[in-house]
Amino acid sequence: MKDSPWFARFATRISHLAGHPITFGAAAGLIVLWAAIGPFAGFSDAWQLTVNTATTIVTFLMVFLIQSTQNRDTAALQIKIDELIRATRTARNSLLDLEDHSEEEIRQIREEYEKLASKARSRGNRMET
């Protein structure tokens, strides 16, 4: 399924805002304010329910927004890596769709590269193909 352009822009913008230090400060400030109101509210159930409900709703919605942004970022990164593999003469083009392989196939390929890295380290030189 394809993201709608407005939702993609919205999710990206909200994800970036959520990760901003000012947003963290504002959220921390709201928690401090909520805690300060506690004695005046008698630490009532309604006082507790306010922060519990707000944080649950925000967390629930942020999971989907951040996942949408992460999916797009991952897809773009995968395309860039695929292009580098395709453009490199000595690269293994069979790795272009590695993300679609089974966990076992990926584990086997990783082991091959770990062996190559170990050999290169023992010789003190760059990795060889």
Side-chain angles (χ1 to χ4, degrees):
M1 188 188 305
K2 186 178 173 183
D3 280 348
S4 63
W6 74 266
F7 182 76
R9 287 190 308 275
F10 174 76
T12 300
R13 182 76 177 134
I14 296 298
S15 292
H16 286 128
L17 284 173
H20 199 279
I22 291 174
T23 307
F24 175 81
L30 285 172
I31 296 298
V32 168
L33 178 65
W34 169 80
I37 292 171
F40 301 106
F43 299 104
S44 67
D45 288 343
W47 171 78
Q48 292 178 19
L49 188 59
T50 301
V51 77
N52 290 341
T53 302
T55 56
T56 299
I57 290 169
V58 168
T59 301
F60 179 76
L61 294 174
M62 287 304 295
V63 164
F64 297 104
L65 287 174
I66 292 169
Q67 187 61 52
S68 173
T69 302
Q70 183 65 43
N71 289 348
R72 272 192 320 284
D73 289 349
T74 299
L77 184 60
Q78 191 60 52
I79 291 167
K80 291 174 184 180
I81 292 170
D82 286 349
E83 177 61 13
L84 290 173
I85 292 170
R86 189 200 59 76
T88 305
R89 194 171 357 134
T90 58
R92 292 168 46 184
N93 287 338
S94 62
L95 299 179
L96 284 171
D97 64 347
L98 189 59
E99 68 277 6
D100 295 330
H101 287 54
S102 71
E103 290 294 321
E104 178 61 23
E105 291 169 319
I106 292 172
R107 186 190 59 74
Q108 290 172 352
I109 293 169
R110 177 178 289 136
E111 286 176 1
E112 289 176 37
Y113 279 97
E114 286 172 353
K115 287 176 188 174
L116 286 171
S118 179
K119 286 179 188 177
R121 277 192 300 275
S122 68
R123 287 192 300 264
N125 62 9
R126 293 178 28 200
M127 280 199 200
E128 297 174 4
T129 57

